[in-house]
Amino acid sequence: MSSDITEPTLPATEGQMAEIEDAQLGFTRGGEGGATGKTGLAWAWFEWARNPYYILIVIYIFAPYFARDIIGGNLLASGALDGMDPAKAQAVAGAQGQATVAGVTKWAGLIAALTAPFLGAAFDRGLKRKRFLFVCLATMAAASFMLWWAMPGGQGLSVPMIMACLIVAYVAYTYSEVAHNSMLSDAARPEALPGVSGLGLALGNGAATLMFIAIVLLFALPDVMHWPLKQAAFGIDTSKFEQFRLAGPLCAVWIALMIYPFFRYSKDTGIKGTPIYPAFRDGVRGVISTVKRASEHREAFKFLIARTLYADGMAALLAVGAVYVSLFLGWGLIELTVYAIWASMWAVVGGIFGGWLDRRMGPKNALIFELSAIVVIMFYGLSITKETILFGLIPNVELFDWPYFGTLSDLAYLLQGMLIAIFATANISSSRSMVVHVAPPHMRGEFFGLFAIAGTITVWMGPLLIEYFTKWSQDQRIGMSAIALLFFLGLAMLTTINAKDRPAS
């Protein structure tokens, strides 16, 4: 006996609807294999090719050169500061250089903040990633190569042109980060994703370390000590700042030579033939709708708020750390370059360590542990001066008759750099794993777009706290310690997140 009565069906959940839509569109979500599998290693290899640009250009080599020798040098050479005390003139020139570099970062961050979330949402709607990433990397390489012609005294590129190159490359870097991060969940099986993320950071810092070592041995040390070569290699003229300008072409060529394995083996779940304009149009609508319905993605948005706070504190800490060691320990170019190599080497360990922590503790607990450690390390670093360590408890003494790193304070700060590099890199790895963990599976590209700008929309907050507390206390170290407030607020928000609501699958 047959019956026409059918059992009622329950409404599909958000995840089930996503799976239905994926099947209709032809998506295949979720990766296979581990961190060293073909697709996992290819995803991580992208950072081996791309990340040295950020480390060399944005942090350690070109940006300081641009601020000190082009902006500051041009101001001193113009005669505008003639008659001023030399030390005061140097301080004014340096401040102008720092302000200009900050302006570059501000404009690049603003452009990214206004566009990156929509880009990520377009990827969620089927837009292919690899073709877009090729455009981003080609743009980065071209803008980076142009920096060879960035010279003081009005020669070569004008200051506005140099700033334009830096802004274009920075925005392209951010866009590539959104597209690349949105591919993470498809790079390997879910439980292997923390290891893949950590491996990428380790490879990126490892590549930067190799470049730093080459620059020091081939250009910096021959110029200062005539060792291991009698003069800078390849005819580089250090009197024309070519050792700094070379960083741009070096990063451009590195990207071109190293990126092939990513494009050959990585997994792109986008749909061939997806029209660009409708994908972006629907992406914009989707982001606006997502923000309006924030309560439906409460845990993901709470994490983005937490990340906004602690990422701003992290950025301020890293920037202040370079200023602090230069001021209080009197480190010059050789010391700072060796310090950059040292930190990059340990950042490799940090990438692996972050993946291990994620697997052992889960990304939420790993983040809490990492941020707590960073606060302790930060105050340890602030305790170091030319005279004492640990806020006066241990006197500084000369340990070795070396031209560099001969005092106890020098070695103590190298220890601080090692620990910060490990835990800061682990924090980046855990943060990316957390996005995969709390974001809806079919909206990860969109949330990675929001994630990419979470640390840039409040870039003023850390410097503002430092300025206020320094003026109030008349003590630079107290002023610097104020950024701990951002870490504490970020930690407080992290503790409220229920990460179990969104498994990483």
Side-chain angles (χ1 to χ4, degrees), residues 1 6 16 83 287 408 497:
M1 185 175 182
T6 58
Q16 290 170 335
V287 170
L408 183 61
I497 298 173

Side-chain angles (χ1 to χ4, degrees), residues 138-484:
T139 301
M140 282 177 57
S144 182
F145 198 91
M146 291 288 291
L147 297 178
W148 171 255
W149 290 277
M151 294 177 274
Q155 304 178 59
L157 298 177
S158 65
V159 169
M161 280 297 298
I162 298 171
M163 295 176 66
C165 287
L166 292 172
I167 290 172
V168 167
Y170 193 107
V171 173
Y173 182 94
T174 303
Y175 285 170
S176 73
E177 186 175 26
V178 175
H180 179 241
N181 282 348
S182 71
M183 298 171 69
L184 175 59
S185 60
D186 299 312
R189 61 183 182 272
E191 62 270 22
L193 293 180
V196 175
S197 177
L199 178 62
L201 291 168
L203 287 173
N205 282 283
T209 300
L210 292 178
M211 290 186 177
F212 278 129
I213 292 173
I215 289 171
V216 168
L217 294 179
L218 295 177
F219 310 117
L221 287 178
D223 182 51
V224 176
M225 303 175 61
H226 305 292
W227 181 90
L229 304 175
K230 292 184 177 180
Q231 58 185 5
F234 308 120
I236 290 297
D237 188 347
T238 57
S239 67
K240 297 180 179 179
F241 304 99
E242 291 182 356
Q243 72 273 33
F244 299 107
R245 294 158 46 200
L246 184 65
L250 179 62
C251 290
V253 172
W254 183 266
I255 290 172
L257 293 178
M258 295 295 172
I259 197 59
Y260 174 76
F262 167 78
F263 286 111
R264 177 67 178 85
Y265 298 110
S266 63
K267 185 177 181 180
D268 184 352
T269 56
I271 304 171
K272 185 177 181 180
T274 298
I276 296 176
Y277 173 72
F280 273 96
R281 179 197 61 203
D282 295 343
V284 170
R285 293 173 178 171
V287 170
I288 294 173
S289 175
T290 298
V291 173
K292 287 181 178 179
R293 297 183 293 109
S295 61
E296 298 179 19
H297 312 291
R298 186 184 303 273
E299 307 310 314
F301 271 98
K302 283 196 294 187
F303 170 64
L304 289 177
I305 293 172
R307 202 256 175 179
T308 297
L309 293 167
Y310 70 70
D312 189 37
M314 190 78 68
L317 172 61
L318 295 176
V320 166
V323 174
Y324 182 87
V325 71
S326 177
L327 176 64
F328 281 89
L329 299 185
W331 284 7
L333 175 62
I334 295 295
E335 292 97 329
L336 289 173
T337 306
V338 173
Y339 179 72
I341 295 173
W342 173 255
S344 296
M345 290 170 56
W346 285 104
V348 175
V349 177
I352 299 171
F353 179 60
W356 179 81
L357 275 181
D358 291 349
R359 292 190 297 272
R360 291 297 298 265
M361 307 173 67
K364 173 187 171 180
N365 291 332
L367 281 170
I368 291 173
F369 175 70
E370 291 153 3
L371 290 173
S372 299
I374 287 168
V375 172
V376 174
I377 298 165
M378 180 190 75
F379 281 105
Y380 163 71
L382 294 179
S383 77
I384 302 170
T385 70
K386 282 185 177 181
E387 291 76 32
T388 63
I389 303 168
L390 297 180
F391 299 105
L393 292 179
I394 302 175
N396 184 28
V397 295
E398 183 173 346
L399 299 177
F400 311 103
D401 186 20
W402 294 347
Y404 308 109
F405 308 112
T407 70
L408 183 61
S409 287
D410 290 332
L411 299 183
Y413 206 85
L414 284 176
L415 174 62
Q416 188 265 2
M418 177 190 77
L419 295 173
I420 282 291
I422 291 173
F423 282 93
T425 309
N427 177 266
I428 297 172
S429 176
S430 298
S431 295
R432 294 196 301 204
S433 296
M434 191 69 171
V435 174
V436 175
H437 202 72
V438 299
H442 64 295
M443 298 174 67
R444 283 174 180 156
E446 183 174 329
F447 274 95
F448 267 119
L450 294 168
F451 173 83
I453 57 95
T456 62
I457 57 178
T458 58
V459 291
W460 49 269
M461 194 181 301
L464 179 65
L465 285 173
I466 293 173
E467 178 186 14
Y468 177 80
F469 275 81
T470 301
K471 289 181 177 178
W472 167 71
S473 65
Q474 296 299 306
D475 187 300
Q476 188 176 12
R477 285 192 288 183
I478 292 177
M480 291 167 62
S481 68
I483 58 176

Side-chain angles (χ1 to χ4, degrees), residues 310 367-368 371-372 375 486-496:
Y310 70 70
L367 281 170
I368 291 173
L371 290 173
S372 299
V375 172
L486 296 172
F487 290 117
F488 291 140
L489 291 172
L491 277 167
M493 180 62 72
L494 275 174
T495 60
T496 70

